Amino acid sequence: MANDVTNVVIAGLGGQGIIRASDILADAAFYSGFDVKKSEIHGMSQRGGSVSSDVRFGKKVWSPMIPMGEADFLVLCDRSQREVFWPYLKEGGVLISVDDIPSDKLPHSKTLNTALLGVLSTYLPISLEAWERAITLRLGGKLFEANRQAFDIGRSLISQATK
């Protein structure tokens, strides 16, 4: 990264696990020794409205909010949100979306976000151990193994969609 702060916007619709996905990213970055700031916007989320979370990490982060045009990564959990959040992605930033994930290859329909995080993980200076620790913390339980597999599937994909 050219700057010392990495900016990630995760966006989708209410009920898709946007907040949990951003919690996993924030935890993994924290476990890797970065200063992390996170914010969420989830108005009308229970009615299927837009939900987004900004995650910023680096040596020192002063604000949790990512200004428009400064996101290094935009992770879309629902393609309907592309136009809404596209202005946040900076020139040369990376778009990671549900279109990058072959949903028929996922072990469970509820593991899409974890697969998206797997794709994102290939771009970030966060150790695999930190990701696994964060996934275990946030997704332990009966779907843990399915989420771990989905994360690995995401890591195996090469993102074709760049700005």
Side-chain angles (χ1 to χ4, degrees):
M1 300 287 142
N3 62 13
D4 65 346
V5 175
T6 300
N7 298 313
V8 181
V9 173
I10 300 176
L13 299 175
Q16 289 188 309
I18 308 303
I19 305 305
R20 184 169 293 191
S22 64
D23 286 343
I24 292 169
L25 169 58
D27 289 347
F30 179 77
Y31 295 149
S32 292
F34 293 107
D35 184 31
V36 181
K37 299 282 188 290
K38 178 178 171 286
S39 66
E40 305 160 355
I41 298 174
H42 40 95
M44 303 299 286
S45 62
Q46 292 183 354
R47 295 184 181 191
S50 295
V51 175
S52 68
S53 184
D54 294 357
V55 179
R56 306 183 77 210
F57 65 91
K59 185 175 180 181
K60 183 65 183 167
V61 179
W62 299 101
S63 169
M65 303 297 291
I66 300 172
M68 284 201 179
E70 294 191 24
D72 299 293
F73 299 93
L74 173 59
V75 180
L76 289 178
C77 300
D78 191 286
R79 64 181 56 91
S80 70
Q81 299 302 297
R82 187 177 192 277
E83 297 306 317
V84 175
F85 291 97
W86 185 258
Y88 285 92
L89 191 61
K90 72 180 187 184
E91 185 72 31
V94 176
L95 170 67
I96 300 170
S97 85
V98 294
D99 296 326
D100 298 326
I101 306 295
S103 59
D104 61 325
K105 304 286 187 220
L106 295 177
H108 193 282
S109 62
K110 292 185 176 182
T111 61
L112 176 62
N113 291 1
T114 313
L116 290 168
L117 289 176
V119 174
L120 178 65
S121 74
T122 64
Y123 293 97
L124 301 179
I126 295 175
S127 71
L128 185 56
E129 293 77 22
W131 282 106
E132 290 175 346
R133 184 175 170 195
I135 291 169
T136 300
L137 173 69
R138 299 288 178 175
L139 298 172
K142 65 181 181 181
L143 287 179
F144 170 75
E145 188 56 33
N147 277 292
R148 197 184 65 70
Q149 289 174 6
F151 185 80
D152 290 343
I153 289 169
R155 283 185 62 84
S156 70
L157 299 173
I158 298 172
S159 177
Q160 300 296 318
T162 57
K163 186 175 181 182

